[in-house]
């Protein structure tokens, strides 16, 4: 009887540290991340289609491409490290990055606020994923993605400040080096 107890305890402890369980958990996180990056890419593309200003349209197209590159980075990393192609999930209900649906007649400012909140959630997700994983390479990947998403937050906060800051007064006579020659 004692031998069986020791054996059963040993196998249960092996299950806890079994790398397959960690790999499955990591694969789930990667697949969820991929789905969220695709969702973000699609969101930016849809916003881009609605804009008339060419510069703003281009900015959102570039963000769509950037988020898609995050998807590819995750997919390629998984294929390289585990020699398997992760599933591309479609997440109908928001799990991680909840992209609020703007009002029917949302302003540009409304959309920027939604983007900031979504990008902040992405940062927290990747930071938490980095903390939870025992895989050092995955930790680096998640930290890198958290850093990139953090830069998106800064970018859109700056954008929000620019579009919401009151106009500055500046007369032509106040501009340095405006000499008549």
């Amino acid at each position: 009887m004692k031998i069986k107890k020791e054996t059963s305890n040993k196998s249960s402890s092996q299950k806890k540290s079994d790398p397959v369980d960690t790999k499955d958990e990591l694969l789930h996180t990667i697949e969820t991340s991929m789905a969220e990056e695709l969702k973000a890419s699609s969101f930016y593309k849809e916003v881009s289609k609605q804009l008339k200003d060419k510069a703003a349209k281009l900015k959102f197209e570039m963000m769509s491409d950037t988020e898609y590159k995050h998807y590819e980075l995750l997919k390629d990393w998984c294929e390289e490290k585990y020699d398997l192609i992760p599933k591309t999930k479609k997440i109908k209900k928001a799990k991680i990055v909840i992209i609020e649906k703007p009002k029917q007649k949302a302003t540009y400012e409304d959309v920027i606020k939604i983007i900031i909140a979504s990008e902040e959630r992405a940062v927290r997700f990747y930071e938490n994923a980095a903390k939870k994983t025992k895989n050092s390479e995955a930790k680096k990947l998640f930290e890198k993605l958290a850093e990139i998403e953090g830069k998106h937050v800064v970018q859109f906060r700056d954008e929000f400040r620019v579009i919401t800051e009151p106009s500055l007064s500046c007369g032509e006579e106040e501009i340095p080096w405006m000499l008549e020659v």
Side-chain angles (χ1 to χ4, degrees):
M1 294 284 260
K2 285 184 181 179
I3 295 172
K4 281 189 175 182
K5 271 189 173 178
E6 288 173 18
T7 307
S8 67
N9 284 343
K10 194 174 183 182
S11 66
S12 70
S13 68
Q14 281 177 337
K15 284 182 182 177
K16 287 181 183 176
S17 65
D18 186 0
V20 173
D21 291 340
T22 304
K23 180 180 169 183
D24 289 345
E25 209 172 285
L26 181 57
L27 182 61
H28 174 72
T29 302
I30 295 285
E31 289 173 342
T32 301
S33 301
M34 288 169 50
E36 294 293 338
E37 294 292 353
L38 283 178
K39 188 168 53 173
S41 176
S42 176
F43 174 77
Y44 284 121
K45 190 163 290 304
E46 286 305 311
V47 170
S48 171
K49 289 177 184 176
Q50 297 176 54
L51 296 170
K52 293 177 183 160
D53 181 80
K54 287 182 182 180
K57 188 179 203 64
L58 180 62
K59 178 189 307 184
F60 282 93
E61 286 172 359
M62 288 172 56
M63 284 303 298
S64 175
D65 292 345
T66 299
E67 298 296 347
Y68 191 81
K69 286 177 185 165
H70 297 174
Y71 160 82
E72 289 178 326
L73 176 70
L74 288 156
K75 182 174 173 272
D76 293 346
W77 183 88
C78 197
E79 288 174 6
E80 181 183 315
K81 299 299 175 198
Y82 291 112
D83 197 30
L84 61 94
I85 299 170
K87 296 176 191 164
T88 301
K89 299 179 181 181
K90 287 227 177 191
I91 298 178
K92 290 184 181 173
K93 279 198 166 189
K95 285 190 172 189
I96 311 304
V97 181
I98 303 162
I99 299 176
E100 298 171 35
K101 199 165 190 172
K103 297 178 262 179
Q104 200 65 25
K105 293 285 185 180
T107 65
Y108 191 71
E109 291 89 352
D110 293 334
V111 173
I112 298 296
K113 283 193 248 180
I114 290 167
I115 289 169
I116 292 168
S118 297
E119 294 288 350
E120 286 172 339
R121 284 189 291 271
V123 170
R124 285 192 303 272
F125 171 77
Y126 285 126
E127 286 173 344
N128 289 334
K131 286 178 192 171
K132 288 180 184 177
T133 187
K134 292 172 178 73
N135 182 312
S136 62
E137 292 175 353
K139 182 180 189 77
K140 288 177 189 172
L141 174 67
F142 294 139
E143 288 172 342
K144 178 182 178 179
L145 285 163
E147 180 185 339
I148 293 168
E149 298 294 354
K151 289 177 181 176
H152 295 173
V153 171
V154 170
Q155 173 188 347
F156 282 102
R157 280 186 183 154
D158 290 346
E159 172 87 8
F160 187 77
R161 272 192 294 278
V162 167
I163 61 177
T164 59
E165 202 169 90
S167 299
L168 303 173
S169 66
C170 181
E172 191 174 305
E173 66 279 357
E174 296 164 344
I175 300 171
W177 298 102
M178 290 293 290
L179 303 173
E180 288 187 31
V181 185

